[in-house]
Amino acid sequence: MDTATLAAIKPLIEARKSLAGGLLPLLHDIQDALGCVPPEAVPLIAAGLNLSRAEVHGVVSYYHHFRQTPPGRHVLRLCRAEACQALGADGLIAHAQARLGCGWHETTADGAVSLEPVFCLGQCAVGPNLLVDDDELHARVTAAGFDGLLKSLREPA
Ligand code: FES
């Protein structure tokens, strides 16, 4: 682990180590700070919270929310809930995964996009829906619309 990562993690552990049930809040803190919970952090977390490495690793790997590698430059969240399914989400998801060459919780080979499922974005009447980087909602997304969006995400800023 590089010194900058270590320096970022140590105070976060310090802040949570005496909190009962502090593991989940600490994992959120670390992911917020670093974009992921690196496997090298597990021994430090375990020592800081007086847990076994297996316990910490088990929690990190159980919750898909926690990444063990940094996310892509953009995170696409495709809605998998019922209303979007009724409006064609399954076909869009299959198209997206084929275009991206990756599945859920994975990142494209070029590091441009990570793909995550989401269960309802509150826009059920205008599905299928997806969210880009937690703040850009796209409604009635078609395969062609997805391709256009992907192209724009892959273009240099
Ligand atoms: S079901 Fe997709 S936005 Fe609600």
Side-chain angles (χ1 to χ4, degrees):
M1 180 182 310
D2 62 67
T3 50
T5 304
L6 187 60
I9 289 176
K10 275 190 166 179
L12 299 175
I13 294 173
E14 202 57 36
R16 299 288 190 182
K17 72 178 190 183
S18 49
L19 177 74
L23 178 57
L24 278 173
L26 174 58
L27 295 176
H28 282 282
D29 291 346
I30 292 172
Q31 182 153 300
D32 288 348
L34 303 175
C36 66
V37 180
E40 316 88 79
V42 168
L44 294 176
I45 297 167
L49 272 58
N50 200 22
L51 299 169
S52 72
R53 294 179 185 195
E55 285 174 287
V56 177
H57 174 74
V59 172
V60 172
S61 55
Y62 178 78
Y63 292 104
H64 284 304
H65 174 77
F66 296 119
R67 298 179 166 284
Q68 297 181 59
T69 55
R73 293 189 297 282
H74 300 282
V75 177
L76 283 187
R77 298 183 197 282
L78 268 67
C79 182
R80 298 185 66 187
E82 279 184 17
C84 280
Q85 279 183 24
L87 294 169
D90 286 347
L92 176 65
I93 289 165
H95 175 81
Q97 292 185 337
R99 275 286 187 268
L100 295 168
C102 70
W104 297 125
H105 315 294
E106 293 178 353
T107 300
T108 55
D110 64 358
V113 174
S114 294
L115 183 63
E116 298 290 341
V118 67
F119 292 89
C120 196
L121 292 162
Q123 301 290 329
C124 308
V126 292
N129 296 306
L130 67 80
L131 188 66
V132 180
D133 297 335
D134 292 329
D135 61 2
E136 188 183 307
L137 182 69
H138 293 257
R140 295 193 173 102
V141 181
T142 62
F146 180 87
D147 291 348
L149 173 63
L150 184 58
K151 184 170 183 288
S152 71
L153 294 175
R154 282 187 156 144
E155 287 170 355

